[in-house]
Amino acid sequence: QAQLVESGGGEVQAGDSLRLSCAFSERIGRTFSKYGAGWFRQAPGKEREFVSSISSSSENTDYTDSVKGRFTISRDNARDTLYLQMNNLRPEDTAIYYCATTFYPYSTSEKEYSYWGQGTQVTVSS
């Protein structure tokens, strides 16, 4: 059973930046470097949606259209950590952000992710 813990959320103004981190741990078995990983978000009153994904060795990344050019996903397998650099934040980015890992190389589908963090709140005011 893997555990994921997000951090780095907060309240910012439109145009500001934040970097989210997600620390991975697993008592036995697979290491972080074996998993694809991704970020999802859930805004108030809306379903959880895909934000970005990254393959196990960072060779492939994917983003939802609304964050392309503003958000950058990355990972440090030596530190068992996933990141999401968010620049030029907008009020519509306000949501709870979740990190997750998948046994697939990488995926945009929530159903293909096995382990989830508890989420971190990002609030962007205009």
mmCIF file with all atom_site columns, all heavy atoms in Angstrom, residues 1 25 34-35 38 40 45 47 50 60-61 64 70 73 81 84 87 90 92 98 105-107 114-115 117 126:
data_model
loop_
_atom_site.group_PDB
_atom_site.id
_atom_site.type_symbol
_atom_site.label_atom_id
_atom_site.label_alt_id
_atom_site.label_comp_id
_atom_site.label_asym_id
_atom_site.label_entity_id
_atom_site.label_seq_id
_atom_site.pdbx_PDB_ins_code
_atom_site.Cartn_x
_atom_site.Cartn_y
_atom_site.Cartn_z
_atom_site.occupancy
_atom_site.B_iso_or_equiv
_atom_site.pdbx_formal_charge
_atom_site.auth_seq_id
_atom_site.auth_comp_id
_atom_site.auth_asym_id
_atom_site.auth_atom_id
_atom_site.pdbx_PDB_model_num
ATOM 1   N N   . GLN A 1 1   ? 0.852   -1.191 0.000   1.00 0.00 ? 1   GLN A N   1
ATOM 2   C CA  . GLN A 1 1   ? 0.000   0.000  0.000   1.00 0.00 ? 1   GLN A CA  1
ATOM 3   C C   . GLN A 1 1   ? 0.884   1.236  0.000   1.00 0.00 ? 1   GLN A C   1
ATOM 4   O O   . GLN A 1 1   ? 1.681   1.431  0.889   1.00 0.00 ? 1   GLN A O   1
ATOM 5   C CB  . GLN A 1 1   ? -0.915  0.007  1.227   1.00 0.00 ? 1   GLN A CB  1
ATOM 6   C CG  . GLN A 1 1   ? -1.894  1.153  1.262   1.00 0.00 ? 1   GLN A CG  1
ATOM 7   C CD  . GLN A 1 1   ? -3.044  0.963  0.298   1.00 0.00 ? 1   GLN A CD  1
ATOM 8   O OE1 . GLN A 1 1   ? -3.299  -0.159 -0.131  1.00 0.00 ? 1   GLN A OE1 1
ATOM 9   N NE2 . GLN A 1 1   ? -3.711  2.032  -0.041  1.00 0.00 ? 1   GLN A NE2 1
ATOM 10  N N   . SER A 1 25  ? 5.496   7.210  -0.497  1.00 0.00 ? 25  SER A N   1
ATOM 11  C CA  . SER A 1 25  ? 6.153   6.206  0.345   1.00 0.00 ? 25  SER A CA  1
ATOM 12  C C   . SER A 1 25  ? 5.417   4.879  0.200   1.00 0.00 ? 25  SER A C   1
ATOM 13  O O   . SER A 1 25  ? 4.212   4.849  0.005   1.00 0.00 ? 25  SER A O   1
ATOM 14  C CB  . SER A 1 25  ? 6.188   6.641  1.811   1.00 0.00 ? 25  SER A CB  1
ATOM 15  O OG  . SER A 1 25  ? 4.883   6.764  2.319   1.00 0.00 ? 25  SER A OG  1
ATOM 16  N N   . LYS A 1 34  ? 8.780   3.215  -10.438 1.00 0.00 ? 34  LYS A N   1
ATOM 17  C CA  . LYS A 1 34  ? 8.093   2.218  -11.254 1.00 0.00 ? 34  LYS A CA  1
ATOM 18  C C   . LYS A 1 34  ? 6.692   2.657  -11.662 1.00 0.00 ? 34  LYS A C   1
ATOM 19  O O   . LYS A 1 34  ? 6.041   2.013  -12.472 1.00 0.00 ? 34  LYS A O   1
ATOM 20  C CB  . LYS A 1 34  ? 7.989   0.899  -10.482 1.00 0.00 ? 34  LYS A CB  1
ATOM 21  C CG  . LYS A 1 34  ? 9.328   0.325  -10.070 1.00 0.00 ? 34  LYS A CG  1
ATOM 22  C CD  . LYS A 1 34  ? 10.188  -0.035 -11.261 1.00 0.00 ? 34  LYS A CD  1
ATOM 23  C CE  . LYS A 1 34  ? 11.474  -0.715 -10.813 1.00 0.00 ? 34  LYS A CE  1
ATOM 24  N NZ  . LYS A 1 34  ? 12.360  -1.017 -11.956 1.00 0.00 ? 34  LYS A NZ  1
ATOM 25  N N   . TYR A 1 35  ? 6.204   3.734  -11.066 1.00 0.00 ? 35  TYR A N   1
ATOM 26  C CA  . TYR A 1 35  ? 4.834   4.188  -11.308 1.00 0.00 ? 35  TYR A CA  1
ATOM 27  C C   . TYR A 1 35  ? 4.785   5.366  -12.262 1.00 0.00 ? 35  TYR A C   1
ATOM 28  O O   . TYR A 1 35  ? 5.645   6.254  -12.214 1.00 0.00 ? 35  TYR A O   1
ATOM 29  C CB  . TYR A 1 35  ? 4.191   4.661  -10.000 1.00 0.00 ? 35  TYR A CB  1
ATOM 30  C CG  . TYR A 1 35  ? 3.904   3.598  -8.974  1.00 0.00 ? 35  TYR A CG  1
ATOM 31  C CD1 . TYR A 1 35  ? 4.808   3.342  -7.954  1.00 0.00 ? 35  TYR A CD1 1
ATOM 32  C CD2 . TYR A 1 35  ? 2.706   2.889  -9.002  1.00 0.00 ? 35  TYR A CD2 1
ATOM 33  C CE1 . TYR A 1 35  ? 4.528   2.395  -6.992  1.00 0.00 ? 35  TYR A CE1 1
ATOM 34  C CE2 . TYR A 1 35  ? 2.422   1.941  -8.037  1.00 0.00 ? 35  TYR A CE2 1
ATOM 35  C CZ  . TYR A 1 35  ? 3.338   1.686  -7.035  1.00 0.00 ? 35  TYR A CZ  1
ATOM 36  O OH  . TYR A 1 35  ? 3.053   0.747  -6.084  1.00 0.00 ? 35  TYR A OH  1
ATOM 37  N N   . GLY A 1 38  ? 0.364   11.380 -11.656 1.00 0.00 ? 38  GLY A N   1
ATOM 38  C CA  . GLY A 1 38  ? -0.429  12.472 -12.211 1.00 0.00 ? 38  GLY A CA  1
ATOM 39  C C   . GLY A 1 38  ? -1.022  13.366 -11.148 1.00 0.00 ? 38  GLY A C   1
ATOM 40  O O   . GLY A 1 38  ? -0.965  13.065 -9.954  1.00 0.00 ? 38  GLY A O   1
ATOM 41  N N   . PHE A 1 40  ? -4.639  15.601 -10.390 1.00 0.00 ? 40  PHE A N   1
ATOM 42  C CA  . PHE A 1 40  ? -6.035  15.842 -10.682 1.00 0.00 ? 40  PHE A CA  1
ATOM 43  C C   . PHE A 1 40  ? -6.497  16.981 -9.776  1.00 0.00 ? 40  PHE A C   1
ATOM 44  O O   . PHE A 1 40  ? -5.834  17.314 -8.789  1.00 0.00 ? 40  PHE A O   1
ATOM 45  C CB  . PHE A 1 40  ? -6.866  14.577 -10.411 1.00 0.00 ? 40  PHE A CB  1
ATOM 46  C CG  . PHE A 1 40  ? -6.582  13.461 -11.374 1.00 0.00 ? 40  PHE A CG  1
ATOM 47  C CD1 . PHE A 1 40  ? -5.429  12.700 -11.251 1.00 0.00 ? 40  PHE A CD1 1
ATOM 48  C CD2 . PHE A 1 40  ? -7.459  13.164 -12.390 1.00 0.00 ? 40  PHE A CD2 1
ATOM 49  C CE1 . PHE A 1 40  ? -5.148  11.667 -12.134 1.00 0.00 ? 40  PHE A CE1 1
ATOM 50  C CE2 . PHE A 1 40  ? -7.196  12.136 -13.286 1.00 0.00 ? 40  PHE A CE2 1
ATOM 51  C CZ  . PHE A 1 40  ? -6.038  11.389 -13.150 1.00 0.00 ? 40  PHE A CZ  1
ATOM 52  N N   . GLY A 1 45  ? -18.334 21.906 -6.357  1.00 0.00 ? 45  GLY A N   1
ATOM 53  C CA  . GLY A 1 45  ? -19.504 21.607 -7.160  1.00 0.00 ? 45  GLY A CA  1
ATOM 54  C C   . GLY A 1 45  ? -19.221 20.914 -8.473  1.00 0.00 ? 45  GLY A C   1
ATOM 55  O O   . GLY A 1 45  ? -20.143 20.725 -9.278  1.00 0.00 ? 45  GLY A O   1
ATOM 56  N N   . GLU A 1 47  ? -16.924 17.718 -10.759 1.00 0.00 ? 47  GLU A N   1
ATOM 57  C CA  . GLU A 1 47  ? -16.271 16.430 -10.657 1.00 0.00 ? 47  GLU A CA  1
ATOM 58  C C   . GLU A 1 47  ? -14.753 16.607 -10.708 1.00 0.00 ? 47  GLU A C   1
ATOM 59  O O   . GLU A 1 47  ? -14.242 17.588 -11.242 1.00 0.00 ? 47  GLU A O   1
ATOM 60  C CB  . GLU A 1 47  ? -16.735 15.504 -11.784 1.00 0.00 ? 47  GLU A CB  1
ATOM 61  C CG  . GLU A 1 47  ? -18.195 15.126 -11.694 1.00 0.00 ? 47  GLU A CG  1
ATOM 62  C CD  . GLU A 1 47  ? -18.601 14.123 -12.758 1.00 0.00 ? 47  GLU A CD  1
ATOM 63  O OE1 . GLU A 1 47  ? -17.780 13.838 -13.647 1.00 0.00 ? 47  GLU A OE1 1
ATOM 64  O OE2 . GLU A 1 47  ? -19.736 13.626 -12.698 1.00 0.00 ? 47  GLU A OE2 1
ATOM 65  N N   . PHE A 1 50  ? -8.748  15.567 -14.675 1.00 0.00 ? 50  PHE A N   1
ATOM 66  C CA  . PHE A 1 50  ? -7.334  15.382 -14.959 1.00 0.00 ? 50  PHE A CA  1
ATOM 67  C C   . PHE A 1 50  ? -6.651  16.727 -15.169 1.00 0.00 ? 50  PHE A C   1
ATOM 68  O O   . PHE A 1 50  ? -7.209  17.616 -15.824 1.00 0.00 ? 50  PHE A O   1
ATOM 69  C CB  . PHE A 1 50  ? -7.179  14.520 -16.211 1.00 0.00 ? 50  PHE A CB  1
ATOM 70  C CG  . PHE A 1 50  ? -5.799  14.501 -16.788 1.00 0.00 ? 50  PHE A CG  1
ATOM 71  C CD1 . PHE A 1 50  ? -4.812  13.714 -16.217 1.00 0.00 ? 50  PHE A CD1 1
ATOM 72  C CD2 . PHE A 1 50  ? -5.483  15.265 -17.905 1.00 0.00 ? 50  PHE A CD2 1
ATOM 73  C CE1 . PHE A 1 50  ? -3.539  13.698 -16.746 1.00 0.00 ? 50  PHE A CE1 1
ATOM 74  C CE2 . PHE A 1 50  ? -4.220  15.255 -18.449 1.00 0.00 ? 50  PHE A CE2 1
ATOM 75  C CZ  . PHE A 1 50  ? -3.230  14.467 -17.865 1.00 0.00 ? 50  PHE A CZ  1
ATOM 76  N N   . ASN A 1 60  ? 7.572   11.116 -20.891 1.00 0.00 ? 60  ASN A N   1
ATOM 77  C CA  . ASN A 1 60  ? 6.289   11.547 -21.449 1.00 0.00 ? 60  ASN A CA  1
ATOM 78  C C   . ASN A 1 60  ? 5.508   12.353 -20.420 1.00 0.00 ? 60  ASN A C   1
ATOM 79  O O   . ASN A 1 60  ? 5.447   11.971 -19.249 1.00 0.00 ? 60  ASN A O   1
ATOM 80  C CB  . ASN A 1 60  ? 5.454   10.337 -21.882 1.00 0.00 ? 60  ASN A CB  1
ATOM 81  C CG  . ASN A 1 60  ? 6.089   9.553  -23.000 1.00 0.00 ? 60  ASN A CG  1
ATOM 82  O OD1 . ASN A 1 60  ? 6.573   8.456  -22.795 1.00 0.00 ? 60  ASN A OD1 1
ATOM 83  N ND2 . ASN A 1 60  ? 6.107   10.113 -24.182 1.00 0.00 ? 60  ASN A ND2 1
ATOM 84  N N   . THR A 1 61  ? 4.921   13.447 -20.874 1.00 0.00 ? 61  THR A N   1
ATOM 85  C CA  . THR A 1 61  ? 4.038   14.243 -20.035 1.00 0.00 ? 61  THR A CA  1
ATOM 86  C C   . THR A 1 61  ? 2.791   14.602 -20.828 1.00 0.00 ? 61  THR A C   1
ATOM 87  O O   . THR A 1 61  ? 2.796   14.594 -22.063 1.00 0.00 ? 61  THR A O   1
ATOM 88  C CB  . THR A 1 61  ? 4.709   15.541 -19.543 1.00 0.00 ? 61  THR A CB  1
ATOM 89  O OG1 . THR A 1 61  ? 5.096   16.331 -20.678 1.00 0.00 ? 61  THR A OG1 1
ATOM 90  C CG2 . THR A 1 61  ? 5.940   15.245 -18.697 1.00 0.00 ? 61  THR A CG2 1
ATOM 91  N N   . THR A 1 64  ? -3.978  18.846 -19.437 1.00 0.00 ? 64  THR A N   1
ATOM 92  C CA  . THR A 1 64  ? -5.261  19.285 -19.937 1.00 0.00 ? 64  THR A CA  1
ATOM 93  C C   . THR A 1 64  ? -5.067  20.645 -20.608 1.00 0.00 ? 64  THR A C   1
ATOM 94  O O   . THR A 1 64  ? -4.165  21.419 -20.242 1.00 0.00 ? 64  THR A O   1
ATOM 95  C CB  . THR A 1 64  ? -6.289  19.348 -18.798 1.00 0.00 ? 64  THR A CB  1
ATOM 96  O OG1 . THR A 1 64  ? -7.586  19.502 -19.338 1.00 0.00 ? 64  THR A OG1 1
ATOM 97  C CG2 . THR A 1 64  ? -5.988  20.494 -17.841 1.00 0.00 ? 64  THR A CG2 1
ATOM 98  N N   . ARG A 1 70  ? 1.186   26.896 -18.766 1.00 0.00 ? 70  ARG A N   1
ATOM 99  C CA  . ARG A 1 70  ? 1.214   27.520 -17.434 1.00 0.00 ? 70  ARG A CA  1
ATOM 100 C C   . ARG A 1 70  ? 1.699   26.559 -16.354 1.00 0.00 ? 70  ARG A C   1
ATOM 101 O O   . ARG A 1 70  ? 2.376   26.973 -15.417 1.00 0.00 ? 70  ARG A O   1
ATOM 102 C CB  . ARG A 1 70  ? -0.184  28.021 -17.058 1.00 0.00 ? 70  ARG A CB  1
ATOM 103 C CG  . ARG A 1 70  ? -0.744  29.042 -18.008 1.00 0.00 ? 70  ARG A CG  1
ATOM 104 C CD  . ARG A 1 70  ? -2.046  29.647 -17.471 1.00 0.00 ? 70  ARG A CD  1
ATOM 105 N NE  . ARG A 1 70  ? -3.101  28.658 -17.292 1.00 0.00 ? 70  ARG A NE  1
ATOM 106 C CZ  . ARG A 1 70  ? -3.716  28.413 -16.137 1.00 0.00 ? 70  ARG A CZ  1
ATOM 107 N NH1 . ARG A 1 70  ? -3.385  29.087 -15.056 1.00 0.00 ? 70  ARG A NH1 1
ATOM 108 N NH2 . ARG A 1 70  ? -4.673  27.510 -16.069 1.00 0.00 ? 70  ARG A NH2 1
ATOM 109 N N   . ILE A 1 73  ? 4.636   19.632 -14.943 1.00 0.00 ? 73  ILE A N   1
ATOM 110 C CA  . ILE A 1 73  ? 4.754   18.479 -14.051 1.00 0.00 ? 73  ILE A CA  1
ATOM 111 C C   . ILE A 1 73  ? 6.188   17.958 -14.116 1.00 0.00 ? 73  ILE A C   1
ATOM 112 O O   . ILE A 1 73  ? 6.832   17.980 -15.181 1.00 0.00 ? 73  ILE A O   1
ATOM 113 C CB  . ILE A 1 73  ? 3.752   17.370 -14.431 1.00 0.00 ? 73  ILE A CB  1
ATOM 114 C CG1 . ILE A 1 73  ? 3.687   16.291 -13.362 1.00 0.00 ? 73  ILE A CG1 1
ATOM 115 C CG2 . ILE A 1 73  ? 4.056   16.795 -15.808 1.00 0.00 ? 73  ILE A CG2 1
ATOM 116 C CD1 . ILE A 1 73  ? 2.539   15.292 -13.575 1.00 0.00 ? 73  ILE A CD1 1
ATOM 117 N N   . THR A 1 81  ? 9.403   12.005 -5.125  1.00 0.00 ? 81  THR A N   1
ATOM 118 C CA  . THR A 1 81  ? 8.545   13.177 -5.064  1.00 0.00 ? 81  THR A CA  1
ATOM 119 C C   . THR A 1 81  ? 8.076   13.593 -6.450  1.00 0.00 ? 81  THR A C   1
ATOM 120 O O   . THR A 1 81  ? 8.849   13.591 -7.407  1.00 0.00 ? 81  THR A O   1
ATOM 121 C CB  . THR A 1 81  ? 9.268   14.361 -4.393  1.00 0.00 ? 81  THR A CB  1
ATOM 122 O OG1 . THR A 1 81  ? 9.718   13.955 -3.084  1.00 0.00 ? 81  THR A OG1 1
ATOM 123 C CG2 . THR A 1 81  ? 8.335   15.554 -4.231  1.00 0.00 ? 81  THR A CG2 1
ATOM 124 N N   . LEU A 1 84  ? 4.222   19.819 -9.191  1.00 0.00 ? 84  LEU A N   1
ATOM 125 C CA  . LEU A 1 84  ? 3.426   20.544 -10.172 1.00 0.00 ? 84  LEU A CA  1
ATOM 126 C C   . LEU A 1 84  ? 3.723   22.026 -9.985  1.00 0.00 ? 84  LEU A C   1
ATOM 127 O O   . LEU A 1 84  ? 3.308   22.617 -8.991  1.00 0.00 ? 84  LEU A O   1
ATOM 128 C CB  . LEU A 1 84  ? 1.934   20.272 -10.016 1.00 0.00 ? 84  LEU A CB  1
ATOM 129 C CG  . LEU A 1 84  ? 1.057   20.903 -11.098 1.00 0.00 ? 84  LEU A CG  1
ATOM 130 C CD1 . LEU A 1 84  ? 1.321   20.242 -12.453 1.00 0.00 ? 84  LEU A CD1 1
ATOM 131 C CD2 . LEU A 1 84  ? -0.426  20.793 -10.743 1.00 0.00 ? 84  LEU A CD2 1
ATOM 132 N N   . ASN A 1 87  ? 2.141   28.309 -12.783 1.00 0.00 ? 87  ASN A N   1
ATOM 133 C CA  . ASN A 1 87  ? 2.416   29.723 -13.015 1.00 0.00 ? 87  ASN A CA  1
ATOM 134 C C   . ASN A 1 87  ? 1.195   30.423 -13.582 1.00 0.00 ? 87  ASN A C   1
ATOM 135 O O   . ASN A 1 87  ? 0.293   29.783 -14.133 1.00 0.00 ? 87  ASN A O   1
ATOM 136 C CB  . ASN A 1 87  ? 3.587   29.878 -13.982 1.00 0.00 ? 87  ASN A CB  1
ATOM 137 C CG  . ASN A 1 87  ? 4.880   29.311 -13.455 1.00 0.00 ? 87  ASN A CG  1
ATOM 138 O OD1 . ASN A 1 87  ? 5.127   29.295 -12.246 1.00 0.00 ? 87  ASN A OD1 1
ATOM 139 N ND2 . ASN A 1 87  ? 5.727   28.830 -14.354 1.00 0.00 ? 87  ASN A ND2 1
ATOM 140 N N   . ARG A 1 90  ? -4.993  31.353 -12.286 1.00 0.00 ? 90  ARG A N   1
ATOM 141 C CA  . ARG A 1 90  ? -6.258  32.023 -12.569 1.00 0.00 ? 90  ARG A CA  1
ATOM 142 C C   . ARG A 1 90  ? -7.293  31.617 -11.530 1.00 0.00 ? 90  ARG A C   1
ATOM 143 O O   . ARG A 1 90  ? -7.179  30.534 -10.948 1.00 0.00 ? 90  ARG A O   1
ATOM 144 C CB  . ARG A 1 90  ? -6.759  31.625 -13.959 1.00 0.00 ? 90  ARG A CB  1
ATOM 145 C CG  . ARG A 1 90  ? -5.772  31.891 -15.085 1.00 0.00 ? 90  ARG A CG  1
ATOM 146 C CD  . ARG A 1 90  ? -6.230  31.197 -16.359 1.00 0.00 ? 90  ARG A CD  1
ATOM 147 N NE  . ARG A 1 90  ? -5.320  31.446 -17.485 1.00 0.00 ? 90  ARG A NE  1
ATOM 148 C CZ  . ARG A 1 90  ? -5.388  30.803 -18.646 1.00 0.00 ? 90  ARG A CZ  1
ATOM 149 N NH1 . ARG A 1 90  ? -6.327  29.895 -18.844 1.00 0.00 ? 90  ARG A NH1 1
ATOM 150 N NH2 . ARG A 1 90  ? -4.514  31.090 -19.597 1.00 0.00 ? 90  ARG A NH2 1
ATOM 151 N N   . GLU A 1 92  ? -10.076 30.327 -11.960 1.00 0.00 ? 92  GLU A N   1
ATOM 152 C CA  . GLU A 1 92  ? -10.667 29.041 -12.336 1.00 0.00 ? 92  GLU A CA  1
ATOM 153 C C   . GLU A 1 92  ? -9.764  27.857 -12.006 1.00 0.00 ? 92  GLU A C   1
ATOM 154 O O   . GLU A 1 92  ? -10.174 26.697 -12.166 1.00 0.00 ? 92  GLU A O   1
ATOM 155 C CB  . GLU A 1 92  ? -11.036 29.019 -13.828 1.00 0.00 ? 92  GLU A CB  1
ATOM 156 C CG  . GLU A 1 92  ? -9.901  29.366 -14.768 1.00 0.00 ? 92  GLU A CG  1
ATOM 157 C CD  . GLU A 1 92  ? -9.911  30.837 -15.175 1.00 0.00 ? 92  GLU A CD  1
ATOM 158 O OE1 . GLU A 1 92  ? -10.232 31.707 -14.320 1.00 0.00 ? 92  GLU A OE1 1
ATOM 159 O OE2 . GLU A 1 92  ? -9.589  31.122 -16.349 1.00 0.00 ? 92  GLU A OE2 1
ATOM 160 N N   . TYR A 1 98  ? -5.054  16.839 -6.202  1.00 0.00 ? 98  TYR A N   1
ATOM 161 C CA  . TYR A 1 98  ? -4.693  15.504 -5.744  1.00 0.00 ? 98  TYR A CA  1
ATOM 162 C C   . TYR A 1 98  ? -3.571  14.939 -6.607  1.00 0.00 ? 98  TYR A C   1
ATOM 163 O O   . TYR A 1 98  ? -3.599  15.066 -7.823  1.00 0.00 ? 98  TYR A O   1
ATOM 164 C CB  . TYR A 1 98  ? -5.880  14.558 -5.855  1.00 0.00 ? 98  TYR A CB  1
ATOM 165 C CG  . TYR A 1 98  ? -7.082  14.937 -5.044  1.00 0.00 ? 98  TYR A CG  1
ATOM 166 C CD1 . TYR A 1 98  ? -8.074  15.762 -5.562  1.00 0.00 ? 98  TYR A CD1 1
ATOM 167 C CD2 . TYR A 1 98  ? -7.253  14.453 -3.751  1.00 0.00 ? 98  TYR A CD2 1
ATOM 168 C CE1 . TYR A 1 98  ? -9.187  16.106 -4.826  1.00 0.00 ? 98  TYR A CE1 1
ATOM 169 C CE2 . TYR A 1 98  ? -8.365  14.787 -3.000  1.00 0.00 ? 98  TYR A CE2 1
ATOM 170 C CZ  . TYR A 1 98  ? -9.324  15.616 -3.546  1.00 0.00 ? 98  TYR A CZ  1
ATOM 171 O OH  . TYR A 1 98  ? -10.429 15.949 -2.802  1.00 0.00 ? 98  TYR A OH  1
ATOM 172 N N   . PRO A 1 105 ? 1.993   3.134  -17.765 1.00 0.00 ? 105 PRO A N   1
ATOM 173 C CA  . PRO A 1 105 ? 3.135   4.041  -17.996 1.00 0.00 ? 105 PRO A CA  1
ATOM 174 C C   . PRO A 1 105 ? 2.796   5.480  -17.643 1.00 0.00 ? 105 PRO A C   1
ATOM 175 O O   . PRO A 1 105 ? 3.590   6.188  -17.042 1.00 0.00 ? 105 PRO A O   1
ATOM 176 C CB  . PRO A 1 105 ? 3.425   3.856  -19.483 1.00 0.00 ? 105 PRO A CB  1
ATOM 177 C CG  . PRO A 1 105 ? 2.955   2.471  -19.785 1.00 0.00 ? 105 PRO A CG  1
ATOM 178 C CD  . PRO A 1 105 ? 1.734   2.264  -18.914 1.00 0.00 ? 105 PRO A CD  1
ATOM 179 N N   . TYR A 1 106 ? 1.639   5.942  -18.065 1.00 0.00 ? 106 TYR A N   1
ATOM 180 C CA  . TYR A 1 106 ? 1.039   7.178  -17.594 1.00 0.00 ? 106 TYR A CA  1
ATOM 181 C C   . TYR A 1 106 ? -0.373  7.191  -18.132 1.00 0.00 ? 106 TYR A C   1
ATOM 182 O O   . TYR A 1 106 ? -0.708  6.437  -19.039 1.00 0.00 ? 106 TYR A O   1
ATOM 183 C CB  . TYR A 1 106 ? 1.831   8.425  -17.995 1.00 0.00 ? 106 TYR A CB  1
ATOM 184 C CG  . TYR A 1 106 ? 1.816   8.764  -19.467 1.00 0.00 ? 106 TYR A CG  1
ATOM 185 C CD1 . TYR A 1 106 ? 1.069   9.819  -19.960 1.00 0.00 ? 106 TYR A CD1 1
ATOM 186 C CD2 . TYR A 1 106 ? 2.597   8.044  -20.358 1.00 0.00 ? 106 TYR A CD2 1
ATOM 187 C CE1 . TYR A 1 106 ? 1.081   10.139 -21.303 1.00 0.00 ? 106 TYR A CE1 1
ATOM 188 C CE2 . TYR A 1 106 ? 2.617   8.358  -21.701 1.00 0.00 ? 106 TYR A CE2 1
ATOM 189 C CZ  . TYR A 1 106 ? 1.854   9.411  -22.162 1.00 0.00 ? 106 TYR A CZ  1
ATOM 190 O OH  . TYR A 1 106 ? 1.878   9.721  -23.493 1.00 0.00 ? 106 TYR A OH  1
ATOM 191 N N   . SER A 1 107 ? -1.241  8.029  -17.593 1.00 0.00 ? 107 SER A N   1
ATOM 192 C CA  . SER A 1 107 ? -2.644  7.978  -17.967 1.00 0.00 ? 107 SER A CA  1
ATOM 193 C C   . SER A 1 107 ? -3.341  9.289  -17.658 1.00 0.00 ? 107 SER A C   1
ATOM 194 O O   . SER A 1 107 ? -2.975  9.988  -16.711 1.00 0.00 ? 107 SER A O   1
ATOM 195 C CB  . SER A 1 107 ? -3.329  6.830  -17.219 1.00 0.00 ? 107 SER A CB  1
ATOM 196 O OG  . SER A 1 107 ? -4.708  6.823  -17.470 1.00 0.00 ? 107 SER A OG  1
ATOM 197 N N   . SER A 1 114 ? -4.254  4.123  -8.950  1.00 0.00 ? 114 SER A N   1
ATOM 198 C CA  . SER A 1 114 ? -4.508  3.219  -7.825  1.00 0.00 ? 114 SER A CA  1
ATOM 199 C C   . SER A 1 114 ? -4.375  3.893  -6.468  1.00 0.00 ? 114 SER A C   1
ATOM 200 O O   . SER A 1 114 ? -5.116  3.569  -5.548  1.00 0.00 ? 114 SER A O   1
ATOM 201 C CB  . SER A 1 114 ? -3.536  2.041  -7.886  1.00 0.00 ? 114 SER A CB  1
ATOM 202 O OG  . SER A 1 114 ? -3.654  1.336  -9.099  1.00 0.00 ? 114 SER A OG  1
ATOM 203 N N   . TYR A 1 115 ? -3.402  4.749  -6.320  1.00 0.00 ? 115 TYR A N   1
ATOM 204 C CA  . TYR A 1 115 ? -3.126  5.374  -5.031  1.00 0.00 ? 115 TYR A CA  1
ATOM 205 C C   . TYR A 1 115 ? -3.292  6.886  -5.143  1.00 0.00 ? 115 TYR A C   1
ATOM 206 O O   . TYR A 1 115 ? -2.836  7.478  -6.111  1.00 0.00 ? 115 TYR A O   1
ATOM 207 C CB  . TYR A 1 115 ? -1.719  5.024  -4.556  1.00 0.00 ? 115 TYR A CB  1
ATOM 208 C CG  . TYR A 1 115 ? -1.478  3.542  -4.419  1.00 0.00 ? 115 TYR A CG  1
ATOM 209 C CD1 . TYR A 1 115 ? -0.494  2.903  -5.151  1.00 0.00 ? 115 TYR A CD1 1
ATOM 210 C CD2 . TYR A 1 115 ? -2.259  2.780  -3.555  1.00 0.00 ? 115 TYR A CD2 1
ATOM 211 C CE1 . TYR A 1 115 ? -0.275  1.549  -5.032  1.00 0.00 ? 115 TYR A CE1 1
ATOM 212 C CE2 . TYR A 1 115 ? -2.053  1.412  -3.434  1.00 0.00 ? 115 TYR A CE2 1
ATOM 213 C CZ  . TYR A 1 115 ? -1.059  0.807  -4.173  1.00 0.00 ? 115 TYR A CZ  1
ATOM 214 O OH  . TYR A 1 115 ? -0.853  -0.545 -4.045  1.00 0.00 ? 115 TYR A OH  1
ATOM 215 N N   . GLY A 1 117 ? -3.427  10.803 -2.944  1.00 0.00 ? 117 GLY A N   1
ATOM 216 C CA  . GLY A 1 117 ? -3.186  11.594 -1.754  1.00 0.00 ? 117 GLY A CA  1
ATOM 217 C C   . GLY A 1 117 ? -4.491  12.164 -1.218  1.00 0.00 ? 117 GLY A C   1
ATOM 218 O O   . GLY A 1 117 ? -5.568  11.955 -1.791  1.00 0.00 ? 117 GLY A O   1
ATOM 219 N N   . SER A 1 126 ? -9.128  36.906 -7.644  1.00 0.00 ? 126 SER A N   1
ATOM 220 C CA  . SER A 1 126 ? -8.912  37.865 -8.748  1.00 0.00 ? 126 SER A CA  1
ATOM 221 C C   . SER A 1 126 ? -8.555  39.243 -8.243  1.00 0.00 ? 126 SER A C   1
ATOM 222 O O   . SER A 1 126 ? -8.613  39.518 -7.069  1.00 0.00 ? 126 SER A O   1
ATOM 223 C CB  . SER A 1 126 ? -10.173 37.935 -9.599  1.00 0.00 ? 126 SER A CB  1
ATOM 224 O OG  . SER A 1 126 ? -11.276 38.310 -8.797  1.00 0.00 ? 126 SER A OG  1
#
